[in-house]
Amino acid sequence: MAQLTTRPTSFLGRLRFGRGLVLLLCGVYFFVPLGASIWFSIDDTKGNISFDAYTKLISAPGFLDALYLSLELAAATVVLLLVLLVPAMLAARLGAPKLRPVIEVICSMPLVVPVVALTTGIVGVLRWGPDYFSSTPFFQTFVAIQDPGFPVVLLVAYVLMALPFAYRALDGGLRAVDVVTLVEAARSCGASTSRAVFTVVLPNLRNALLNSAVLIVALVLGEFTTASILGFQPFSVWINSYGKTDGQMSVAVSMLSLVIVWIVLLAISVLGRSRKGARS
């Protein structure tokens, strides 16, 4: 009897010790390099602490413009992807279940296309278009989508790159909800199909929509290759170009970009939780 009572306790003790050890190793792996980087960025080599690298960086020319451009592109990518994906996935579940594998394959295709190959294709189209459409109204379209103030061509590239991640997040949420039963129940109470989707289905997909938005924003704010090759300067390209001035400044740029990305992601998460709490 004594063995029956001591074995579970010792097992839980080992399990808790194992979890604590894993958390300790993960903490050392992540926070020691961050702490060393922060110390390097504020150490003035004379034993004093100086935040000159951060103050100079924030007041640097182009900082706010690049940050605003990245935030605008992230918001536009989230809106465009959700507007495209959510109706398509709901329509497939409600009216055409056989199309679900087709949508899954289409949304997963960007995963097998390297970013450099995708960007090279976009560059080829942008170079080919003006030569053949120079005497047509389409020429102005090619000019407009490359406006440095808000490059639509970069938005299209981000939508393609974020498509698989947004689809997986939404698909996970839809698998956890019986959409057909919810809509039929709402319609039996007198609601139309559109009202049932907006008032019953979408509130149950709040976490999936939030997770999808977080993944898209994280991808857009951290993306560098496509924007750099196409010649635009969102925040990731700006921090790379400006951080080359000196070593301390480059570390300060990396720390600042990490903080901004975390603030944006936490703001999205808190916004979703606050709306959920208000409705409950």
Side-chain angles (χ1 to χ4, degrees), residues 191-199:
S192 62
T193 303
S194 59
R195 184 177 181 183
V197 169
F198 279 102
T199 59

Side-chain angles (χ1 to χ4, degrees), residues 6-24:
T6 55
R7 282 181 179 176
T9 305
S10 59
F11 175 74
L12 291 176
R14 289 196 298 270
L15 184 61
R16 291 173 181 173
F17 175 76
R19 290 178 179 177
L21 182 61
V22 171
L23 290 176
L24 178 62

Side-chain angles (χ1 to χ4, degrees), residues 148-272:
F150 187 80
V152 178
V153 64
L154 198 55
L155 170 64
V156 175
Y158 286 162
V159 168
L160 291 175
M161 285 188 282
L163 185 60
F165 307 104
Y167 172 80
R168 291 299 172 190
L170 292 175
D171 186 60
L174 286 172
R175 289 179 186 275
V177 177
D178 192 348
V179 178
V180 177
T181 302
L182 287 176
V183 173
E184 289 180 352
R187 293 185 63 182
S188 65
C189 294
S192 62
T193 303
S194 59
R195 184 177 181 183
V197 169
F198 279 102
T199 59
V200 179
V201 176
L202 290 183
N204 283 281
L205 294 177
R206 185 185 301 108
N207 289 333
L209 295 172
L210 182 63
N211 293 335
S212 178
V214 168
L215 289 175
I216 295 170
V217 170
L219 186 144
V220 173
L221 293 183
E223 202 285 328
F224 171 79
T225 305
T226 303
S228 178
I229 294 177
L230 292 179
F232 301 111
Q233 196 174 51
F235 192 59
S236 57
V237 178
W238 183 86
I239 61 176
N240 177 68
S241 59
Y242 198 81
K244 293 179 180 177
T245 54
D246 61 69
Q248 201 172 28
M249 184 72 75
S250 63
V251 175
V253 166
S254 302
M255 292 298 102
L256 186 62
S257 64
L258 186 64
V259 170
I260 290 175
V261 171
W262 273 106
I263 289 175
V264 173
L265 298 182
L266 286 175
I268 295 174
S269 179
V270 171
L271 180 63

Side-chain angles (χ1 to χ4, degrees), residues 123-136 138-139 142:
V123 171
V125 172
L126 294 178
R127 289 177 179 173
W128 166 82
D131 295 336
Y132 289 88
F133 297 106
S134 57
S135 59
T136 67
F138 291 105
F139 176 76
F142 278 92

